[in-house]
Amino acid sequence: MTAVENPASTIPGTGLVDKFGRIATDLRISLTDRCNLRCAYCMPAEGLDWLPKPELLTDEEIVRLARIGVTMLGIREIRFTGGEPLLRRGLVSILDQVTSLEPRPRTMLTTNAIGLARLAQPLADAGLNRINVSLDTLRADRFSQITRRHRLDDVLAGVHAANAAGLRPVKINTVLLRDLNDDEAPELLAFAVEHGLELRFIEQMPLDAQHAWRREEMVTSQEILDRLSTRFTLTPDPSERGGSPAETWLVDGGPVKVGVIASVTRPFCGACDRTRLTADGQIRNCLFARSENDLRTPLRSGASDAELADRWRAAMWGKLPGHGINDPSFLQPDRPMSAIGG
Ligand SMILES: C[S@@+](CC[C@H](N)C(=O)[O-])C[C@H]1O[C@@H](n2cnc3c(N)ncnc32)[C@H](O)[C@@H]1O
Ligand code: SF4
């Protein structure tokens, strides 16, 4: 990618452009860094301090920043994530207010589905468009091993409740770990086909709090496809990929599809259209960024909407062309995935 010199970040009225010409229209908001699971690829078994409450954006502050994003900066999609977003008490009210914005953004949620059995209908009623549920295994013993909690039944109940509430098709996010659940890929796809779910595998990324990721241990997208091909015929999906992180394949000729997000082995940074807001009010222009831009301090010091929008533009202007995972000089960000918002 070639950088341009003219800093569009300083031109009022423009969207979230970076110097490589990408435009961010997809906002990921982390509602909390807390979680009720402890997935091995995300969090350590014990420990990890939560953000202090006074540092967290309030519901009103989140809605204000979402409004600035939508009405002044061209944001068209908002995904709520975390940590575990269902743990945020104000979630339904925040969603309700965000779906009332004009122009109305498409809204999504990424969740581990614990508590979703109760919340799926209120979320659908508040206007949620889509939901992604993280589920790495269908076997209770493996679930407990990966997440260090015995909650598989709650997750499955959440998936079925989301389907029943009309949040279809529910997307399932799966991370495969070597010698733990990597043999289960075909079984998970069969489950998805049976229940009308859209399955997407995510390559494990170096974003765990304990910094234990090892490239040589990671299950690659090619291995995932090889595993799936033992039971299904996969053909490349001819439809337009756009800015989607997932490459998709038709399963047994379609219409069912399966996706792979190959962030490590087939990076898609050139088409990235994402901007991120952490639960404590920092803008991150990339999942792997090593620096952040603080919106919370100016927001609490009386900055106007226009000033906050300018700071947001400036934060995005500095986005790097790629995440650099494959460079020898790559350094994992200090914040783990759970605090950034996946
Ligand atoms: C950080 S979680 C937050 C939302 C919610 N707690 C959940 O698990 O869906 C968002 C997504 O990131 C994925 N994830 C977490 N750590 C990851 C890692 N190191 N590599 C790849 N994906 C990861 C999870 O599997 C999940 O699908
Ligand atoms: S992946 Fe999601 S559910 Fe698992 S520990 Fe991280 S934040 Fe929690």
Side-chain angles (χ1 to χ4, degrees):
M1 274 187 285
T2 320
V4 292
E5 291 307 321
N6 181 19
S9 58
T10 61
I11 304 170
T14 55
L16 296 171
V17 187
D18 69 45
K19 52 168 106 66
F20 299 95
R22 293 167 296 187
I23 303 172
T25 55
D26 177 345
L27 168 61
R28 313 255 156 145
I29 301 180
S30 173
L31 292 178
T32 175
D33 59 325
R34 292 173 183 251
C35 192
N36 39 17
L37 295 184
R38 291 243 157 199
C39 303
Y41 46 79
C42 184
M43 287 197 182
E46 281 168 45
L48 194 65
D49 292 337
W50 307 130
L51 289 165
K53 182 122 194 271
E55 291 183 14
L56 296 179
L57 295 182
T58 63
D59 294 359
E60 293 72 27
E61 289 170 336
I62 289 172
V63 173
R64 179 173 174 205
L65 291 176
R67 178 176 54 71
I68 291 171
V70 168
T71 61
M72 302 174 74
L73 296 170
I75 292 298
R76 293 201 293 264
E77 285 192 3
I78 298 185
R79 177 176 294 279
F80 296 102
T81 177
E84 178 41 51
L86 297 187
L87 292 178
R88 177 114 190 181
R89 225 178 266 172
L91 170 64
V92 174
S93 158
I94 292 171
L95 180 66
D96 211 23
Q97 295 175 72
V98 165
T99 54
S100 305
L101 293 172
E102 287 288 339
R104 178 179 168 155
R106 279 178 57 73
T107 50
M108 289 103 165
L109 179 79
T110 303
T111 173
N112 65 25
I114 293 174
L116 187 60
R118 183 175 56 81
L119 277 168
Q121 194 58 56
L123 288 168
D125 294 344
L128 185 69
N129 291 110
R130 293 287 293 265
I131 196 158
N132 289 55
V133 171
S134 303
L135 175 64
D136 304 322
T137 176
L138 296 165
R139 305 188 198 175
D141 55 337
R142 288 182 175 189
F143 185 91
S144 311
Q145 220 179 332
I146 295 171
T147 69
R148 291 131 169 172
R149 300 287 184 271
H150 308 283
R151 307 296 294 268
L152 177 62
D153 288 348
D154 295 313
V155 176
L156 294 176
V159 169
H160 298 311
N163 248 339
L167 295 167
R168 295 174 198 217
V170 175
K171 288 194 179 178
I172 302 290
N173 291 357
T174 300
V175 177
L176 293 181
L177 300 175
R178 194 168 300 287
D179 300 330
L180 233 169
N181 62 339
D182 56 336
D183 59 344
E184 217 178 314
E187 212 175 306
L188 282 156
L189 182 52
F191 174 79
V193 172
E194 182 188 347
H195 294 282
L197 312 166
E198 251 181 59
L199 180 62
R200 295 144 29 114
F201 293 93
I202 309 176
E203 278 182 347
Q204 189 190 358
M205 293 178 275
L207 286 170
D208 54 316
Q210 58 279 32
H211 292 220
W213 182 87
R214 298 283 170 270
R215 194 194 168 102
E216 51 290 358
E217 283 169 25
M218 182 198 87
V219 180
T220 65
S221 67
Q222 191 54 55
E223 287 177 89
I224 296 166
L225 295 172
D226 291 345
R227 292 253 182 208
L228 294 174
S229 300
T230 58
R231 187 151 155 199
F232 300 92
T233 303
L234 303 183
T235 44
D237 178 6
S239 52
E240 192 62 44
R241 178 173 175 189
S244 165
E247 260 183 282
T248 46
W249 282 263
L250 300 177
V251 179
D252 292 338
V256 177
K257 295 177 186 182
V258 64
V260 181
I261 301 180
S263 321
V264 179
T265 61
R266 293 164 67 85
F268 36 84
C269 305
C272 180
D273 60 358
R274 281 172 283 289
T275 180
R276 299 185 136 82
L277 176 65
T278 63
D280 57 349
Q282 311 298 306
I283 294 295
R284 294 184 64 93
N285 57 24
C286 172
L287 205 45
F288 293 91
R290 298 210 26 96
S291 63
E292 302 177 337
N293 292 67
D294 180 21
L295 286 193
R296 188 189 69 225
T297 306
L299 184 146
R300 291 185 178 170
S301 315
S304 67
D305 287 356
E307 284 164 346
L308 293 170
D310 266 348
R311 283 176 181 266
W312 200 334
R313 285 189 194 99
M316 293 310 293
W317 180 255
K319 179 165 169 145
L320 295 176
H323 56 43
I325 296 177
N326 299 309
D327 301 343
S329 58
F330 173 76
L331 282 177
Q332 185 171 337
D334 294 330
R335 288 225 221 199
M337 182 76 133
S338 56
I340 296 170

